[in-house]
Coordinates of all heavy atoms in Angstrom, one line a residue:
L278 N -14.3 21.0 33.9 CA -14.2 19.7 34.5 C -14.2 18.8 33.2 O -15.3 18.4 32.8 CB -15.3 19.3 35.4 CG -15.2 20.0 36.7 CD1 -16.5 19.7 37.6 CD2 -13.9 19.7 37.5
P279 N -13.1 18.5 32.6 CA -13.0 17.9 31.4 C -13.7 16.5 31.3 O -13.8 15.8 32.3 CB -11.5 17.6 31.1 CG -10.9 18.6 31.9 CD -11.7 18.9 33.1
L280 N -14.4 16.3 30.2 CA -15.3 15.1 29.9 C -16.7 15.1 30.6 O -17.5 14.2 30.3 CB -14.6 13.8 30.3 CG -13.2 13.6 29.7 CD1 -12.6 12.3 30.2 CD2 -13.2 13.5 28.2
W281 N -16.9 16.1 31.4 CA -18.3 16.2 32.0 C -19.2 16.9 31.2 O -18.9 18.1 30.8 CB -18.1 16.9 33.4 CG -19.4 17.3 34.0 CD1 -20.4 16.4 34.3 CD2 -19.9 18.6 34.3 NE1 -21.5 17.1 34.8 CE2 -21.2 18.4 34.9 CE3 -19.3 19.9 34.3 CZ2 -21.9 19.5 35.3 CZ3 -20.1 21.0 34.7 CH2 -21.3 20.7 35.2
R282 N -20.3 16.3 30.9 CA -21.4 16.9 30.1 C -22.7 16.3 30.6 O -22.8 15.0 30.6 CB -21.2 16.9 28.7 CG -22.1 17.8 27.9 CD -21.5 18.1 26.6 NE -22.2 19.2 25.9 CZ -21.7 19.9 24.8 NH1 -20.6 19.5 24.3 NH2 -22.3 20.9 24.3
T283 N -23.7 17.1 30.9 CA -25.0 16.6 31.5 C -25.9 16.2 30.4 O -26.9 15.4 30.6 CB -25.6 17.6 32.3 OG1 -25.9 18.8 31.6 CG2 -24.8 17.9 33.6
H284 N -25.7 16.5 29.1 CA -26.7 16.2 28.1 C -26.8 14.6 27.9 O -25.8 13.9 27.9 CB -26.3 16.7 26.7 CG -26.1 18.3 26.8 ND1 -25.1 18.9 27.3 CD2 -27.1 19.3 26.4 CE1 -25.4 20.3 27.2 NE2 -26.5 20.5 26.6
A285 N -28.0 14.1 27.7 CA -28.3 12.7 27.8 C -27.5 12.0 26.6 O -27.2 10.8 26.8 CB -29.8 12.5 27.6
G286 N -27.2 12.5 25.5 CA -26.7 11.9 24.4 C -25.2 12.1 24.3 O -24.6 11.5 23.3
A287 N -24.6 12.8 25.2 CA -23.1 13.2 25.0 C -22.2 11.9 24.9 O -21.3 11.8 24.2 CB -22.6 14.0 26.2
W288 N -22.7 10.8 25.8 CA -21.9 9.6 25.7 C -22.8 8.4 25.4 O -22.7 7.4 26.0 CB -21.3 9.4 27.1 CG -20.3 10.5 27.5 CD1 -20.4 11.4 28.4 CD2 -19.0 10.6 27.0 NE1 -19.3 12.2 28.5 CE2 -18.4 11.7 27.7 CE3 -18.2 9.8 26.0 CZ2 -17.1 12.1 27.4 CZ3 -16.9 10.3 25.8 CH2 -16.4 11.4 26.5
S289 N -23.8 8.7 24.5 CA -24.7 7.6 24.0 C -24.5 7.5 22.5 O -25.4 7.7 21.8 CB -26.1 8.0 24.3 OG -26.3 8.0 25.8
V290 N -23.3 7.1 22.1 CA -23.0 6.9 20.7 C -22.8 5.4 20.3 O -22.0 4.8 20.9 CB -21.6 7.7 20.5 CG1 -21.3 7.6 18.9 CG2 -21.7 9.2 20.8
E291 N -23.7 5.0 19.4 CA -23.7 3.6 19.1 C -22.5 3.4 18.2 O -22.3 4.0 17.1 CB -24.9 3.3 18.4 CG -25.1 1.9 17.9 CD -24.9 0.9 19.1 OE1 -25.8 0.9 20.0 OE2 -23.9 0.2 19.1
S292 N -21.7 2.4 18.5 CA -20.5 2.0 17.7 C -20.5 0.6 17.1 O -19.4 0.1 16.8 CB -19.2 2.3 18.5 OG -19.2 1.5 19.6
E293 N -21.6 0.0 17.2 CA -21.7 -1.4 16.8 C -21.2 -1.6 15.3 O -20.6 -2.6 14.9 CB -23.1 -1.9 16.8 CG -23.5 -2.4 18.2 CD -24.8 -3.0 18.3 OE1 -25.3 -3.4 17.2 OE2 -25.3 -3.3 19.4
R294 N -21.5 -0.6 14.4 CA -21.1 -0.8 13.0 C -19.6 -0.7 12.9 O -19.0 -1.6 12.2 CB -21.6 0.4 12.2 CG -21.2 0.2 10.7 CD -21.7 1.4 9.8 NE -23.2 1.4 9.7 CZ -23.8 2.5 9.0 NH1 -23.2 3.4 8.4 NH2 -25.1 2.4 8.9
A295 N -18.9 0.1 13.7 CA -17.4 0.2 13.7 C -16.8 -1.1 14.2 O -15.8 -1.6 13.7 CB -16.9 1.4 14.4
V296 N -17.4 -1.6 15.3 CA -16.9 -2.9 15.9 C -17.0 -4.0 14.9 O -16.1 -4.8 14.7 CB -17.7 -3.2 17.2 CG1 -17.2 -4.5 17.7 CG2 -17.4 -2.1 18.3
S297 N -18.2 -4.1 14.2 CA -18.3 -5.1 13.1 C -17.4 -4.9 12.0 O -17.0 -5.9 11.4 CB -19.7 -5.0 12.6 OG -20.7 -5.4 13.6
G298 N -17.0 -3.7 11.8 CA -16.0 -3.3 10.7 C -14.5 -3.4 11.2 O -13.6 -3.2 10.4
G299 N -14.3 -3.8 12.4 CA -12.9 -4.1 12.9 C -12.4 -3.3 14.0 O -11.2 -3.4 14.4
L300 N -13.2 -2.3 14.5 CA -12.6 -1.5 15.6 C -12.5 -2.2 16.8 O -13.3 -2.9 17.3 CB -13.7 -0.3 15.9 CG -13.4 0.6 17.1 CD1 -12.1 1.4 16.8 CD2 -14.6 1.5 17.4
R301 N -11.3 -2.1 17.4 CA -10.9 -2.8 18.6 C -10.4 -1.7 19.6 O -9.4 -1.1 19.2 CB -9.9 -3.9 18.4 CG -10.4 -5.0 17.4 CD -11.5 -5.9 18.1 NE -12.0 -6.9 17.2 CZ -13.0 -6.8 16.4 NH1 -13.6 -5.6 16.3 NH2 -13.4 -7.8 15.6
C302 N -11.0 -1.7 20.8 CA -10.6 -0.6 21.7 C -10.0 -1.3 22.9 O -10.6 -2.1 23.6 CB -11.9 0.2 22.2 SG -12.5 1.2 20.8
R303 N -8.8 -0.8 23.3 CA -8.1 -1.3 24.5 C -8.9 -0.7 25.8 O -9.6 0.3 25.6 CB -6.7 -0.8 24.6 CG -6.5 0.6 24.7 CD -5.1 1.0 24.3 NE -4.9 0.9 22.8 CZ -3.8 0.7 22.2 NH1 -2.6 0.6 23.0 NH2 -3.7 0.4 20.9
P304 N -8.7 -1.3 26.9 CA -9.4 -0.8 28.1 C -8.9 0.6 28.4 O -7.7 1.0 28.2 CB -8.9 -1.7 29.2 CG -8.5 -3.0 28.5 CD -7.9 -2.6 27.2
L305 N -9.8 1.5 28.9 CA -9.5 2.8 29.2 C -8.3 2.9 30.2 O -7.6 3.9 30.2 CB -10.7 3.6 29.6 CG -10.6 5.1 29.9 CD1 -10.0 5.8 28.6 CD2 -11.8 5.7 30.3
S306 N -8.3 1.9 31.1 CA -7.2 1.9 32.0 C -5.8 1.9 31.4 O -4.9 2.4 31.9 CB -7.4 0.7 33.0 OG -7.3 -0.5 32.2
E307 N -5.7 1.2 30.3 CA -4.5 1.2 29.6 C -4.1 2.6 28.9 O -3.0 3.0 29.0 CB -4.5 0.1 28.4 CG -3.2 -0.1 27.7 CD -3.2 -1.2 26.6 OE1 -4.1 -2.1 26.8 OE2 -2.5 -1.1 25.7
T308 N -5.1 3.2 28.4 CA -4.9 4.6 27.9 C -4.5 5.6 29.0 O -3.5 6.3 28.8 CB -6.3 5.1 27.3 OG1 -6.7 4.2 26.3 CG2 -6.1 6.4 26.7
I309 N -5.1 5.4 30.2 CA -4.7 6.3 31.3 C -3.3 6.0 31.7 O -2.5 6.9 31.9 CB -5.7 6.1 32.4 CG1 -7.1 6.5 32.1 CG2 -5.2 6.8 33.7 CD1 -8.2 6.2 33.1
R310 N -3.0 4.8 31.8 CA -1.5 4.3 32.3 C -0.5 4.9 31.3 O 0.5 5.4 31.7 CB -1.4 2.9 32.4 CG -0.2 2.3 32.9 CD -0.1 0.9 32.5 NE -0.1 0.6 31.1 CZ -0.5 -0.5 30.6 NH1 -1.0 -1.5 31.3 NH2 -0.3 -0.8 29.3
D311 N -0.7 4.6 30.0 CA 0.2 5.0 29.0 C 0.3 6.5 28.9 O 1.4 7.0 28.5 CB -0.1 4.4 27.7 CG 0.0 2.9 27.7 OD1 0.6 2.4 28.6 OD2 -0.4 2.2 26.7
T312 N -0.8 7.3 29.1 CA -0.6 8.7 29.0 C 0.2 9.2 30.1 O 1.0 10.2 30.0 CB -2.1 9.3 29.0 OG1 -2.9 8.8 27.8 CG2 -2.0 10.8 28.9
W313 N -0.1 8.7 31.3 CA 0.7 9.2 32.5 C 2.3 8.8 32.3 O 3.1 9.6 32.6 CB 0.2 8.5 33.8 CG 1.0 8.9 35.0 CD1 1.7 8.1 35.8 CD2 1.1 10.3 35.5 NE1 2.2 8.8 36.9 CE2 1.8 10.2 36.7 CE3 0.5 11.4 35.1 CZ2 2.1 11.3 37.5 CZ3 0.8 12.6 35.9 CH2 1.5 12.5 37.1
A314 N 2.5 7.7 31.7 CA 3.9 7.3 31.4 C 4.5 8.3 30.5 O 5.7 8.7 30.6 CB 4.0 5.9 30.9
W315 N 3.7 8.7 29.5 CA 4.2 9.6 28.5 C 4.4 11.0 29.1 O 5.5 11.6 28.8 CB 3.1 9.8 27.4 CG 3.3 11.0 26.5 CD1 4.4 11.2 25.6 CD2 2.5 12.2 26.3 NE1 4.2 12.4 24.9 CE2 3.0 13.0 25.4 CE3 1.3 12.6 27.0 CZ2 2.5 14.2 25.1 CZ3 0.8 13.7 26.7 CH2 1.3 14.5 25.7
L316 N 3.6 11.4 30.0 CA 3.8 12.7 30.7 C 5.0 12.7 31.6 O 5.8 13.6 31.7 CB 2.5 13.1 31.4 CG 1.3 13.5 30.7 CD1 0.1 13.6 31.6 CD2 1.5 14.8 30.0
Q317 N 5.2 11.6 32.3 CA 6.3 11.4 33.2 C 7.6 11.3 32.5 O 8.7 11.6 33.0 CB 6.1 10.1 34.0 CG 5.0 10.3 35.1 CD 5.2 11.4 36.1 OE1 4.7 12.5 35.9 NE2 6.0 11.1 37.1
S318 N 7.6 10.9 31.2 CA 8.8 10.8 30.5 C 9.2 12.1 29.8 O 10.2 12.2 29.2 CB 8.7 9.8 29.4 OG 7.7 10.2 28.4
G319 N 8.4 13.2 30.1 CA 8.8 14.5 29.6 C 8.0 14.7 28.3 O 8.3 15.7 27.6
G320 N 7.0 13.9 28.0 CA 6.2 14.1 26.8 C 5.5 15.4 26.8 O 4.9 15.8 27.7
L321 N 5.6 16.1 25.7 CA 4.9 17.4 25.5 C 4.0 17.3 24.2 O 4.5 16.8 23.2 CB 5.9 18.5 25.4 CG 6.7 18.8 26.6 CD1 7.8 19.9 26.2 CD2 5.9 19.3 27.8
P322 N 2.8 17.9 24.3 CA 1.9 18.0 23.1 C 2.4 19.1 22.3 O 3.1 20.0 22.7 CB 0.6 18.1 23.7 CG 0.8 18.9 24.9 CD 2.1 18.4 25.5
V323 N 1.9 19.1 21.0 CA 2.1 20.3 20.3 C 1.3 21.5 20.9 O 0.3 21.3 21.6 CB 1.7 20.1 18.9 CG1 2.5 19.1 18.1 CG2 0.2 19.8 18.7
E324 N 1.8 22.7 20.7 CA 1.0 23.9 21.4 C -0.3 24.0 20.6 O -0.3 24.0 19.3 CB 1.9 25.1 21.2 CG 3.2 25.1 22.1 CD 3.9 26.4 22.0 OE1 3.4 27.4 21.4 OE2 5.0 26.4 22.5
H325 N -1.3 24.2 21.4 CA -2.6 24.3 20.8 C -3.5 25.1 21.7 O -3.5 24.9 23.0 CB -3.3 22.9 20.5 CG -4.5 23.0 19.7 ND1 -5.7 23.4 20.0 CD2 -4.5 22.7 18.3 CE1 -6.5 23.3 18.9 NE2 -5.8 22.9 17.9
P326 N -4.3 26.1 21.3 CA -5.1 27.0 22.1 C -6.1 26.2 23.0 O -6.5 26.7 24.1 CB -5.7 27.9 21.1 CG -5.7 27.3 19.8 CD -4.4 26.5 19.8
R327 N -6.5 25.0 22.5 CA -7.6 24.3 23.3 C -7.0 23.8 24.7 O -7.8 23.6 25.6 CB -8.1 23.1 22.5 CG -8.8 23.5 21.3 CD -9.3 22.3 20.5 NE -10.3 21.6 21.2 CZ -10.9 20.4 20.7 NH1 -10.4 19.9 19.6 NH2 -11.9 19.9 21.3
W328 N -5.7 23.7 24.9 CA -5.1 23.2 26.1 C -5.5 24.1 27.2 O -5.9 23.7 28.3 CB -3.6 23.1 25.9 CG -3.0 22.5 27.1 CD1 -2.5 23.1 28.3 CD2 -2.5 21.1 27.3 NE1 -1.9 22.3 29.1 CE2 -1.9 21.0 28.5 CE3 -2.6 20.0 26.5 CZ2 -1.4 19.8 29.1 CZ3 -2.1 18.8 27.0 CH2 -1.5 18.7 28.3
A329 N -5.4 25.5 27.0 CA -5.6 26.4 28.0 C -7.0 26.5 28.5 O -7.3 27.0 29.6 CB -5.1 27.8 27.5
K330 N -7.9 25.9 27.7 CA -9.4 26.0 28.1 C -9.8 24.9 29.1 O -10.9 24.9 29.6 CB -10.2 25.9 26.8 CG -10.0 27.0 25.8 CD -10.9 26.8 24.6 CE -10.7 27.9 23.6 NZ -11.5 27.8 22.4
H331 N -8.9 23.9 29.3 CA -9.2 22.7 30.1 C -8.7 22.8 31.5 O -7.5 23.1 31.7 CB -8.8 21.5 29.4 CG -9.7 21.2 28.2 ND1 -9.5 21.9 27.0 CD2 -10.7 20.4 28.0 CE1 -10.4 21.4 26.1 NE2 -11.1 20.6 26.7
G332 N -9.6 22.5 32.4 CA -9.2 22.5 33.8 C -9.8 23.6 34.7 O -9.7 24.8 34.2
I333 N -10.2 23.3 35.8 CA -10.8 24.4 36.6 C -9.7 24.9 37.5 O -8.8 24.4 37.9 CB -11.9 23.7 37.6 CG1 -12.7 24.9 38.3 CG2 -11.3 22.8 38.6 CD1 -13.9 24.4 39.1
A334 N -9.8 26.4 37.7 CA -8.8 27.0 38.4 C -8.7 26.5 39.9 O -9.9 26.3 40.5 CB -9.0 28.5 38.4
P335 N -7.6 26.4 40.6 CA -7.5 25.9 41.9 C -8.4 26.7 42.9 O -9.1 26.1 43.7 CB -6.0 26.0 42.3 CG -5.4 25.8 41.0 CD -6.3 26.5 39.9
G336 N -8.4 28.0 42.7 CA -9.2 28.9 43.6 C -10.7 28.6 43.5 O -11.4 28.6 44.4

Side-chain angles (χ1 to χ4, degrees):
L278 290 176
L280 305 180
W281 169 57
R282 197 156 192 167
T283 58
H284 300 80
W288 297 107
S289 295
V290 180
E291 181 57 66
S292 59
E293 282 187 7
R294 181 185 293 181
V296 171
S297 296
L300 175 66
R301 298 293 179 267
C302 292
R303 69 197 69 204
L305 185 57
S306 58
E307 183 177 334
T308 303
I309 293 170
R310 182 196 67 207
D311 291 350
T312 302
W313 181 242
W315 166 68
L316 291 169
Q317 290 297 99
S318 69
L321 294 172
V323 298
E324 293 185 7
H325 197 281
R327 294 179 71 183
W328 185 278
K330 297 178 181 180
H331 288 80
I333 190 168

